[in-house]
Amino acid sequence: MKYVDEFREPEKASKLFAQIETLAAEVSGKLGRPVQLMEFCGGHTHAIFRFGIEQMLSKNIELIHGPGCPVCVLPRSRVDDCVALAERDDVIFTTFGDAMRVPGSKKSLLQAKADGAQVKMVYSPLDALALAKQNPDKEVIFFALGFETTMPSTALTLLQAESDGVKNFSLFCNHITTVPILQSLLDAPQFSIDGFVAPGHVSMVVGEEPFDYIANRYQKPLVITGFEPLDILQSIIMLLLQLKEGRAQMQNQYARVVLKQGNHPGLSAMAKVFELRDKFEWRGLGSIDQSGVKIRDEYARYDAERKFPVASIKVEDPINCQCGEVLKGMIKPWQCKVFGTLCTPEQPLGALMVSSEGACAAYYRFGNVEELLVQKENYLAKGK
């Protein structure tokens, strides 16, 4: 397959693995522990497991799976608000497929649909806008979520609704921002990551500058990375070389897609429609300053939260669920007390098992579950 196969050549991958092995041994020897690198994007987590990259790395290097899946970090209170909106008689609630199965405190959107709520899966916000035009007697709400990757399409759809004079369309806005959550992780006292595989999709929109700032402020190397196996292996080498040479820079491995200045039309639409919230709640991570956006006052008529006030009552995660510790890189997914037993893709307890990009789902799907469960029992038997 042209333009894909060249990023998956086994011979080149073998050479890159050998180079990683040499560099990781040298850097981990200097650190006195394995090198810890965090991938921030759920797409990278999925690719790392799908192509068996983690299993082929030596013990000198450890990949930590960060909070880069927007479905995974959605707090239960926001899911409850979605369900409350969807259960109104005058509403058609639209959402992407992954979000339908995320559990709230009482039910998911999928369960609400089974109970009679008008919940419809869409592939883009424009699908939701088209639905609004087809159903003028209903309010069509689009569940807007995701990092900067999906913000432009939501913003442009809102502007299209305004241009078309559609009045029965609104957004339940849960868009979140990348840099504040990175800063929150780096400011945590127990956080000890050595470098970051920076997100490729987000960078397509925001460009290089935000990650340049992080590298300079925190003196941590970051490499903006593509999603093919050779992309990821090359980025790991770039990070190891920086660590070996004592550098902390932002580098762009994904330059074939990511422009230095980002996507100007997308950024312009985002700035026109959204502004930062003072705070936003993240599942397992708590409230983080300016880590989400809301709709500007000029477009309040398209804001579902203002049209139909929601409860937004804080709801704690299930007591045995350790999504937060996994998201912070404190434990591996298989070290969670409920991984693979009370929490499975068929019956997810935590959001990291729900989303196809969640770390727990990736371990369950691509790892050896039976072997991981044995490791978990041994780990828990040690009183962890």
Side-chain angles (χ1 to χ4, degrees):
M1 188 184 299
K2 189 168 176 56
Y3 303 127
V4 174
D5 286 350
E6 50 266 62
F7 294 102
R8 301 180 180 181
E9 289 186 21
E11 190 175 329
K12 288 182 179 176
S14 296
K15 291 179 180 176
L16 293 174
F17 270 115
Q19 193 176 352
I20 288 172
E21 187 77 15
T22 302
L23 285 168
E26 188 172 344
V27 176
S28 69
K30 189 165 64 175
L31 294 172
R33 58 170 173 75
V35 182
Q36 291 189 316
L37 304 178
M38 174 178 275
E39 86 274 1
F40 188 83
C41 175
H44 283 144
T45 303
H46 185 85
I48 285 166
F49 282 94
R50 180 185 175 198
F51 295 109
I53 291 173
E54 176 155 297
Q55 293 91 325
M56 292 188 68
L57 293 174
S58 76
K59 292 182 179 179
N60 290 320
I61 187 166
E62 185 177 2
L63 296 180
I64 308 295
H65 318 296
C69 169
V71 174
C72 300
V73 296
L74 190 68
R76 291 207 298 170
S77 61
R78 299 298 279 185
V79 179
D80 288 347
D81 292 341
C82 286
V83 171
L85 289 170
E87 289 181 334
R88 291 180 61 98
D89 292 337
D90 54 349
V91 162
I92 298 174
F93 195 87
T94 61
T95 178
F96 296 134
D98 266 8
M100 291 185 75
R101 296 179 60 237
V102 179
S105 63
K106 295 176 182 172
K107 62 176 77 171
S108 66
L109 282 168
L110 193 61
Q111 290 165 326
K113 181 181 174 69
D115 292 341
Q118 290 204 63
V119 180
K120 293 188 181 297
M121 190 184 80
V122 294
Y123 292 99
S124 80
L126 283 173
D127 290 345
L129 179 58
L131 205 58
K133 293 176 181 176
Q134 295 161 11
N135 296 272
D137 58 329
K138 295 282 188 181
E139 175 76 13
V140 175
I141 299 175
F142 175 66
F143 185 17
L145 77 167
F147 286 93
E148 291 90 339
T149 314
T150 53
M151 272 192 223
S153 63
T154 305
L156 289 166
T157 300
L158 187 152
L159 296 173
Q160 187 66 52
E162 182 188 46
S163 174
D164 294 346
V166 179
K167 296 179 178 170
N168 63 323
F169 175 75
S170 54
L171 307 174
F172 182 50
C173 184
N174 289 268
H175 280 302
I176 46 182
T177 53
T178 307
V179 168
I181 185 62
L182 266 176
Q183 288 179 298
S184 172
L185 291 173
L186 286 160
D187 287 335
Q190 74 276 23
F191 195 71
S192 60
I193 299 300
D194 299 302
F196 291 90
V197 176
H201 291 149
V202 167
S203 304
M204 286 164 51
V205 176
V206 303
E208 297 180 358
E209 186 179 357
F211 301 106
D212 206 18
Y213 162 77
I214 291 289
N216 290 332
R217 175 173 174 177
Y218 292 95
Q219 288 300 292
K220 295 283 186 182
L222 297 99
V223 176
I224 296 171
T225 304
F227 295 87
E228 292 299 325
L230 296 192
D231 287 326
I232 295 170
L233 294 176
Q234 186 181 33
S235 291
I236 291 173
I237 289 171
M238 293 165 76
L239 287 166
L240 290 171
L241 281 171
Q242 286 201 47
L243 292 168
K244 175 187 172 183
E245 297 164 5
R247 292 184 286 120
Q249 300 170 328
M250 187 289 302
Q251 292 180 301
N252 185 3
Q253 183 276 336
Y254 204 28
R256 67 181 186 277
V257 173
V258 174
L259 302 177
K260 183 178 178 61
Q261 69 275 19
N263 181 311
H264 178 69
L267 290 170
S268 177
M270 288 162 53
K272 189 171 185 180
V273 170
F274 299 122
E275 62 182 342
L276 289 173
R277 295 177 187 262
D278 292 335
K279 294 180 180 295
F280 195 76
E281 186 78 17
W282 293 59
R283 183 180 289 229
L285 301 174
S287 181
I288 298 172
D289 293 349
Q290 299 190 325
S291 62
V293 299
K294 61 182 180 181
I295 297 170
R296 289 186 181 276
D297 289 343
E298 301 94 291
Y299 301 102
R301 57 193 176 281
Y302 296 105
D303 189 344
E305 283 186 80
R306 298 192 219 194
K307 281 186 172 179
F308 310 105
V310 292
S312 291
I313 298 172
K314 184 178 173 70
V315 182
E316 298 295 337
D317 286 334
I319 191 166
N320 287 330
C321 185
Q322 295 180 277
C323 282
E325 290 166 74
V326 175
L327 288 169
K328 293 173 187 172
M330 296 168 66
I331 63 171
K332 291 282 190 182
W334 58 266
Q335 293 171 326
C336 173
K337 294 170 185 168
V338 294
F339 174 84
T341 51
L342 295 177
C343 187
T344 64
E346 291 75 26
Q347 291 187 312
L349 188 63
L352 293 179
M353 191 63 90
V354 175
S355 168
S356 60
E357 292 190 347
C360 295
Y363 265 81
Y364 194 96
R365 181 175 179 188
F366 298 112
N368 184 329
V369 174
E370 291 183 0
E371 186 178 308
L372 290 175
L373 289 176
V374 171
Q375 287 184 42
K376 183 181 88 168
E377 291 306 314
N378 292 334
Y379 172 80
L380 295 177
K382 293 177 183 175
K384 300 289 186 179

